[in-house]
Amino acid sequence: AVVSTQSTGGDYTVPFAMLPIWAHLSKYLQQSYIVAIATVVLTLLWPVLWYLWTHCLNANSNFYFAITLAFVLFQSFLLSDIIFAKMRRDYAREHGVESKKVDDVETVVTLN
């Protein structure tokens, strides 16, 4: 999706199809809500802008290209978040920092 002007289905689905591989990092992700909301919004805008560009002739290809750029931006957010979550998990495992239960309530450990 980075080098193409119009994205295809493969550009969109491959990164999200690989998310189950990194399911063990889910508790270390920080931007998952932002990426999820952006994914839903872009998924809804993509066919709308394509329809306006090709059938209604009200928009031009720049609108569709802007959606592609926004998708690449949030895809890079997802990638950087996964890489940082892996680093945080490795640090926690190496230094023995884990969340612990105190009186049946899970405590939150912040890694600064």
Side-chain angles (χ1 to χ4, degrees), residues 20-89:
I21 294 172
W22 302 303
H24 62 281
L25 300 175
S26 62
K27 73 176 186 177
Y28 295 102
L29 295 175
Q30 295 178 343
Q31 300 176 3
S32 59
Y33 182 73
I34 295 170
V35 171
I37 295 298
T39 301
V40 169
V41 169
L42 293 174
T43 301
L44 296 176
L45 279 178
W46 228 331
V48 170
L49 290 179
W50 180 81
Y51 177 77
L52 287 174
W53 175 35
T54 58
H55 295 294
C56 296
L57 301 175
N58 289 336
N60 59 18
S61 62
N62 292 334
F63 293 101
Y64 194 71
F65 184 64
I67 290 296
T68 303
L69 288 177
F71 171 70
V72 168
L73 175 72
F74 285 104
Q75 193 175 15
S76 65
F77 280 174
L78 177 65
L79 180 63
S80 65
D81 197 21
I82 288 173
I83 290 171
F84 188 63
K86 172 79 168 112
M87 291 170 51
R88 288 182 65 204
R89 181 177 180 263

Side-chain angles (χ1 to χ4, degrees), residues 4-23:
S4 64
T5 55
Q6 281 88 24
S7 297
T8 62
D11 295 335
Y12 189 69
T13 57
V14 169
F16 294 105
M18 294 178 67
L19 281 179
I21 294 172
W22 302 303

